[in-house]
Amino acid sequence: MEFDLIELIRQRTAQARDDVRLGIGDDAAVLAVPVGKDLVVAIDTLVEGVHFPRGTAAADIGWKALAVNLSDLAAMGASPAWALLSLTLPQADRAFVEGFIEGFAQLAQPHRLALVGGDTTRGPLTISVAVHGLVPPGKALTRSGARVGDVVLVTGTLGDAAAGLHALQIPLRGDDGHANLRQHLIERLNRPTPRLAAGIALRDQAHACVDVSDGLLADLGHICTASGVGAEIDAALLPRSSALLDLHDDITALQFALSGGDDYELCFCVPVSQVAQVQADLSRLGGGATRIGRIVAGEGVRVRGHDGAWLECATSGWEHFA
Ligand code: ADP
Ligand code: MG
């Protein structure tokens, strides 16, 4: 089944990069790795029914399979260069591959990412994308550099993707006049925006950075563990979209913002002296960044509620309010 589909993929993802000596079509790709750069690589897999609901449009799956990987590069401050795509399909479904590769290419093209190879096999619908990016030597952002006193910031808004999944799962009875808000949240779930420009801008500014894929508490928790510090977050400061707040009560919206996954925003730590500059830089790039808390001595993430009291929540996810 593969040849026609691979040729389709090759045509639709054509991307002029003179560092691709040999792309799709041989036993392996050959890439001219620039001298004086660090190579940053990541791979993420999406399994139908686990990472996206059955029935998700093929183009949305193609976009998201690449977006979640580009988000990992963004969190490292890397510029995307090349990708590999492993596609496991129940059958040789040309319409699916056309839709999939259209969504993939829509995101790849503006970032000048070249698809240089992959694998195509039969089996339950599963997509793995491996991405390769570049950073100046020693400049990759990591999870491990946060220092006590740093300010914690986050790009965009939090909780939208979880609310989008909720909107898909809870069937609507009649028209409540909120279809457009629901659609916006579902878009945020299916078409996340990897914050690549922000990640690059943060290379020289942030002490630590992570992308929010599993929820803010879990992912900021990773920074805390890797850096040997704690974090204090203010619930009142969490950036939440008007769509989220219009559709959900405050407690649910807070729960989505703290523990919902799939937002693919960046959460990062910068010294107090840099906050204004970083916020100005990220606003200029679009999207901006919101300060949500501080790095403190200790361990784990604590969340201060609207009334000033600490909320009861576990780093790995939501439990309940105190
Ligand atoms: P081999 O059997 O030598 O591994 P394949 O028949 O699997 O080769 O692949 C042929 C060519 O097509 C290779 O260059 C491979 O990288 C590319 N390719 C296969 N599947 C994909 C895919 N899903 N996306 C991009 N390139 C692919
Ligand atoms: Mg071979």
Side-chain angles (χ1 to χ4, degrees):
M1 69 175 186
E2 290 85 1
F3 179 76
D4 273 5
L5 295 181
I6 294 169
E7 183 52 23
L8 174 75
I9 290 170
R10 194 186 63 76
Q11 285 168 10
R12 300 288 162 88
T13 56
Q15 176 80 249
R17 279 190 75 102
D18 48 19
D19 53 12
V20 180
R21 296 213 200 284
L22 197 52
I24 293 172
D26 215 302
D27 287 314
V30 181
L31 307 169
V33 183
V35 175
K37 295 269 179 162
D38 286 352
L39 180 63
V40 179
V41 299
I43 183 165
D44 255 322
T45 299
L46 302 187
V47 179
E48 183 183 47
V50 179
H51 302 101
F52 58 88
R54 208 169 284 272
T56 301
D60 289 340
I61 299 170
W63 174 287
K64 188 161 182 173
L66 179 56
V68 302
N69 280 282
L70 291 182
S71 179
D72 283 326
L73 291 185
M76 305 300 289
S79 312
W82 314 297
L84 297 167
L85 166 64
S86 173
L87 208 47
T88 304
L89 304 170
Q91 62 268 325
D93 180 346
R94 189 179 173 90
F96 177 87
V97 173
E98 279 182 348
F100 176 92
I101 211 65
E102 180 198 320
F104 185 100
Q106 267 183 346
L107 183 58
Q109 257 145 26
H111 294 294
R112 295 199 55 248
L113 177 98
L115 182 64
V116 297
D119 197 17
T120 308
T121 53
R122 203 183 291 267
L125 182 57
T126 305
I127 302 103
S128 290
V129 176
V131 286
H132 305 69
L134 300 164
V135 282
K139 288 289 185 186
L141 293 166
T142 67
R143 300 174 173 188
S144 58
R147 296 175 208 165
V148 173
D150 280 353
V151 174
V152 181
L153 297 99
V154 68
T155 60
T157 57
L158 294 174
D160 291 341
L165 184 61
H166 181 270
L168 284 176
Q169 284 169 341
I170 309 296
L172 190 57
R173 280 183 240 93
D175 179 11
D176 64 354
H178 287 147
N180 55 333
L181 298 183
R182 235 179 238 97
Q183 200 46 48
H184 169 79
L185 296 170
I186 292 169
E187 279 283 295
R188 290 271 291 155
L189 173 71
N190 286 336
R191 298 256 172 167
T193 305
R195 302 296 185 187
L196 287 154
I200 290 167
L202 290 170
R203 269 177 199 162
D204 294 313
Q205 314 265 22
H207 284 159
C209 186
V210 70
D211 70 319
V212 182
S213 53
D214 296 332
L216 178 70
L217 290 178
D219 291 310
L220 179 55
H222 294 321
I223 286 185
C224 289
T225 304
S227 301
V229 296
E232 293 180 356
I233 296 305
D234 263 303
L237 298 181
L238 294 174
R240 287 169 294 167
S241 69
S242 53
L244 174 65
L245 293 171
D246 284 353
L247 280 178
H248 294 281
D249 62 65
D250 201 55
I251 291 184
T252 308
L254 181 58
Q255 189 165 338
F256 284 153
L258 286 172
S259 304
D262 269 6
D263 282 319
Y264 301 101
E265 297 297 345
L266 297 182
C267 175
F268 56 95
C269 306
V270 298
V272 182
S273 60
Q274 303 286 84
V275 171
Q277 185 63 50
V278 164
Q279 285 188 302
D281 290 348
L282 296 198
S283 291
R284 207 161 12 81
L285 293 170
T290 306
R291 56 191 296 168
I292 59 170
R294 291 292 277 263
I295 295 296
V296 297
E299 57 182 39
V301 183
R302 293 209 291 174
V303 184
R304 202 180 288 105
H306 295 274
D307 59 1
W310 298 109
L311 302 181
E312 288 259 325
C313 36
T315 303
S316 55
W318 184 264
E319 280 177 349
H320 56 82
F321 284 98

